[in-house]
């Protein structure tokens, strides 16, 4: 949940992800709030977070928040579900100068909307996430608390993020990896599939073909609505200035930025920063 921190001056919207998956969330925010200033941070040098232990993920999270503390942010949207579920153990939210909106909150809001669209209340929901996210059990517990009659099944998908960061979003290799990770879930036939990683919407077309008939919930659609509801207009800088930072830069990263964001941002520059 968002903290109770109060901003005394206008600032940008910070977005933090382990890599480029958070751009799916950034895209929806830019579309809904085209004049808002954005500061995006992707820790591309150390991804994927989902295969690492809780202690190191928490350290990376603290370093990212230290980065945002040095910038004028009105809030930080944590796009990385791995951080959202297990990355806050060494972070004292009450001492941050900005409130946090995390991916789990956004995903659960979208899931609620998807459930309302069904004619009948769902019996089975599937979770797709990184090893760290799935093994944390956080989403399983939250869903059981919210929807005790629903069967929750899950699959860790460690090859999804490397596949997506390589720009392979469709085709035979993508389908093979989806089959490898998800074949047991397909047999269960869930009515809703929750994408517990902001990278995963980039292979959503292939996933929809695989889980035919299922609805998909993810964190890429509700972030802007939550921001609008939580932050007064006076707390947002509106110069349409967008700054993108990565911890490792190469041409493939810039190509992926252009592919994900398309014509939304026109010409842009990426800056490499060090967090450690």
């Amino acid at each position: 949940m968002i903290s109770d921190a109060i901003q005394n001056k206008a600032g940008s919207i910070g977005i933090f992800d382990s890599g480029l998956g958070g751009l799916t969330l950034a895209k929806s925010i830019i579309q809904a709030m085209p004049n808002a200033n954005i500061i995006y941070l992707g820790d591309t040098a150390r991804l994927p977070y989902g295969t690492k232990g809780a202690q190191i993920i928490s350290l990376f999270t603290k370093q990212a928040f230290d980065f945002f503390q040095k910038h004028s942010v009105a809030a930080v949207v944590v796009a990385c579900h791995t951080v959202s579920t297990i990355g806050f153990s060494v972070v004292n939210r009450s001492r941050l100068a900005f409130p946090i909106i995390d991916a789990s909150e956004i995903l659960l809001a979208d899931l609620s909307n998807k459930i309302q669209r069904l004619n009948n209340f769902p019996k089975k929901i599937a979770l797709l996430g990184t090893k760290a996210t799935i093994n944390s059990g956080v989403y399983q517990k939250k869903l059981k608390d919210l929807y005790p009659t629903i069967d929750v099944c899950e699959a860790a998908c460690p090859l999804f993020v490397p596949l997506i960061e390589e720009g392979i979003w469709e085709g035979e290799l993508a389908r093979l990896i989806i089959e490898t990770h998800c074949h047991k879930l397909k047999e269960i036939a869930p009515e809703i599939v929750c994408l517990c990683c902001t990278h995963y919407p980039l292979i959503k077309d292939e996933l929809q073909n695989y889980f035919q008939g299922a609805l998909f919930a993810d964190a890429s659609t509700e972030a802007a609505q939550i921001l609008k509801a939580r932050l007064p207009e006076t707390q947002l800088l509106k110069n349409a200035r967008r700054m993108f930072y990565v911890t490792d830069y190469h041409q493939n990263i810039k190509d992926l930025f252009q592919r994900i964001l398309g014509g939304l941002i026109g010409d842009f520059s990426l800056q490499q920063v060090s967090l450690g």
Side-chain angles (χ1 to χ4, degrees), residues 118-139:
L118 292 172
N119 292 327
N120 299 307
F121 198 75
K123 297 179 180 179
K124 291 169 284 189
I125 291 178
L127 306 175
L128 305 183
T130 67
K131 282 184 177 180
T133 296
I134 296 301
N135 290 342
S136 74
V138 169
Y139 277 118

Side-chain angles (χ1 to χ4, degrees), residues 123-272:
K123 297 179 180 179
K124 291 169 284 189
I125 291 178
L127 306 175
L128 305 183
T130 67
K131 282 184 177 180
T133 296
I134 296 301
N135 290 342
S136 74
V138 169
Y139 277 118
Q140 293 91 320
K141 184 179 185 305
K142 287 184 176 182
L143 290 181
K144 280 298 183 183
D145 289 343
L146 290 169
Y147 310 109
T149 63
I150 294 178
D151 288 332
V152 179
C153 49
E154 66 279 327
C157 306
L159 295 179
F160 279 11
V161 170
L163 180 82
I164 292 164
E165 291 276 340
E166 286 297 321
I168 304 171
W169 303 348
E170 58 189 11
E172 185 177 352
L173 180 57
R175 289 191 288 272
L176 176 61
I177 291 175
I178 289 171
E179 171 67 18
T180 299
H181 287 323
C182 302
H183 64 277
K184 292 182 180 179
L185 292 187
K186 187 176 183 179
E187 296 172 0
I188 296 170
E191 292 105 315
I192 299 177
V193 177
C194 293
L195 303 182
C196 305
C197 175
T198 45
H199 282 79
Y200 296 0
L202 295 171
I203 57 170
K204 190 173 179 178
D205 287 347
E206 292 287 6
L207 288 168
Q208 287 177 322
N209 288 333
Y210 191 76
F211 292 101
Q212 292 191 13
L215 294 179
F216 282 76
D218 65 72
S220 66
T221 57
E222 295 294 323
Q225 298 307 315
I226 292 176
L227 279 167
K228 287 180 178 180
R230 301 289 178 81
L231 291 176
E233 291 286 318
T234 55
Q235 291 185 8
L236 292 176
L237 288 173
K238 297 181 180 180
N239 304 318
R241 186 182 182 192
R242 290 139 193 172
M243 303 171 67
F244 298 95
Y245 297 92
V246 293
T247 54
D248 180 38
Y249 174 82
H250 48 77
Q251 184 59 43
N252 187 50
I253 285 179
K254 187 166 186 179
D255 291 344
L256 287 175
F257 263 82
Q258 292 172 326
R259 187 175 172 188
I260 295 170
L261 296 178
L264 279 178
I265 57 173
D267 190 26
F268 68 97
S269 63
L270 290 172
Q271 298 184 45
Q272 185 168 329

